[in-house]
Amino acid sequence: MGRVSGKVALVTGAGRGQGEAIAYLLAKEGAKVIATDINFDNVKKVVAKINTEFKESAIALHHEVASKDEWVKVVEEGVKKFGPITILVNNAGILAPCTYDLLTYEHWQKVMDVNAWSQFVGIQTVVPYMKQAGGGSIIDSASLSAINACGRFSAYTASKGAVDAFSRAAAIELAPFNIRVNCIVQGVIHTPMLDEVWPTKESTAEALAAQPLGRFGKAIDIGYLVVYLASDESCFTTGSSQVIDGGLSVQGGVRPVLER
Ligand SMILES: NC(=O)c1ccc[n+]([C@@H]2O[C@H](COP(=O)([O-])OP(=O)(O)OC[C@H]3O[C@@H](n4cnc5c(N)ncnc54)[C@H](O)[C@@H]3O)[C@@H](O)[C@H]2O)c1
């Protein structure tokens, strides 16, 4: 018996990075997984791998998360296959770095649509099925940038602040229906997204040196947190912002050189 056996999960951005690890671990722990991504080739490969190990436990669907119409289509198809969704992992996101002086309305709106509106409309679409099932767990992906400053990422930072804030509002609004909503506040996680932040070996080494635990997070580190939040083990946890950053956010400005 897995930790999320009997549950049906929808994971967005499951084609690589954290979403891939989350989809894999949820299937490993017994959930049926609707894995979606705008990159259909990638998510098909992820699902093929999952189904090789855990027979018929996942399906892959093409999904543009910023589109309400696509949400409706994907959710209906997923429910038809596996039954009412009881776990929603709003993971898909884009970084789109841009200095403040070059930022346009179009850039701002695109980042807000993909990172924030997508997660809100995902909740709106899935909740009727969770109510039908008697409850559920929603896990939204924010970022440490929601609470810390992050230069060159104004729109990204604003979008993640929005996710962190509306997750709390949703938690209160949905609590009477036994639907929990929690938000992940990740530090630096080693996924392809990082290449956009530190494209060179030197910049990566510098960023690594600032990590209190001496390493970046792994996608699977986020997977373990998601399994906990998705499972009944976390049944009293809602409205929380789960910081998972290897200590990065509590480190002071002055970094003494410590012996390892
Ligand atoms: N990697 C980090 O250090 C880090 C830190 C904090 C927060 N996050 C957040 O974690 C989440 C996962 O990031 P990751 O590191 O795995 O990134 P990633 O770039 O490796 O993966 C993101 C996935 O989302 C998909 N995607 C992008 N736009 C989409 C769209 N419009 N519709 C559907 N799918 C789309 C991509 O195809 C990709 O498969 C994101 O929300 C990101 O903002 C990442």
Side-chain angles (χ1 to χ4, degrees), residues 4 22 37 40 66 73 81 94 99 122 128 166 171 194 214:
V4 286
I22 291 164
D37 204 291
F40 190 47
K73 228 173 72 192
K81 174 76 182 170
I94 51 170
T99 55
F166 78 58
L194 274 200

Side-chain angles (χ1 to χ4, degrees), residues 12-20 22 36-40 42-43 63-67 90-95 110 113-115 118-119 141-145 156 160 184-194 196-198 217 219 222:
T12 67
R16 72 178 197 191
Q18 296 171 56
E20 176 177 3
I22 291 164
T36 79
D37 204 291
I38 197 167
N39 188 327
F40 190 47
N42 274 5
V43 77
H63 188 189
E64 160 55 76
V65 289
S67 156
N90 271 321
N91 164 76
I94 51 170
L95 195 54
K110 162 101 181 162
D113 281 351
V114 173
N115 288 356
S118 67
Q119 300 201 24
S141 185
S143 158
L144 201 57
S145 67
Y156 180 80
K160 294 304 188 175
I184 302 181
V185 176
Q186 307 94 320
V188 183
I189 312 301
H190 198 183
T191 70
M193 188 179 265
L194 274 200
E196 284 182 72
V197 191
W198 299 297
I222 304 300

Side-chain angles (χ1 to χ4, degrees), residues 81-101:
K81 174 76 182 170
F82 290 135
I85 293 162
T86 45
I87 299 166
L88 170 63
V89 188
N90 271 321
N91 164 76
I94 51 170
L95 195 54
C98 184
T99 55
Y100 83 95
D101 51 334

Side-chain angles (χ1 to χ4, degrees), residues 108-168:
W108 176 274
Q109 207 52 46
K110 162 101 181 162
V111 175
M112 290 303 262
D113 281 351
V114 173
N115 288 356
W117 164 248
S118 67
Q119 300 201 24
F120 181 79
V121 78
I123 294 174
Q124 247 186 1
T125 315
V126 164
V127 156
Y129 296 98
M130 290 187 169
K131 285 183 178 171
Q132 195 183 318
S137 174
I138 296 167
I139 298 132
D140 294 331
S141 185
S143 158
L144 201 57
S145 67
I147 53 171
N148 276 4
C150 200
R152 288 200 306 130
F153 302 105
S154 299
Y156 180 80
T157 300
S159 71
K160 294 304 188 175
V163 169
D164 188 35
F166 78 58
S167 296
R168 280 190 286 277

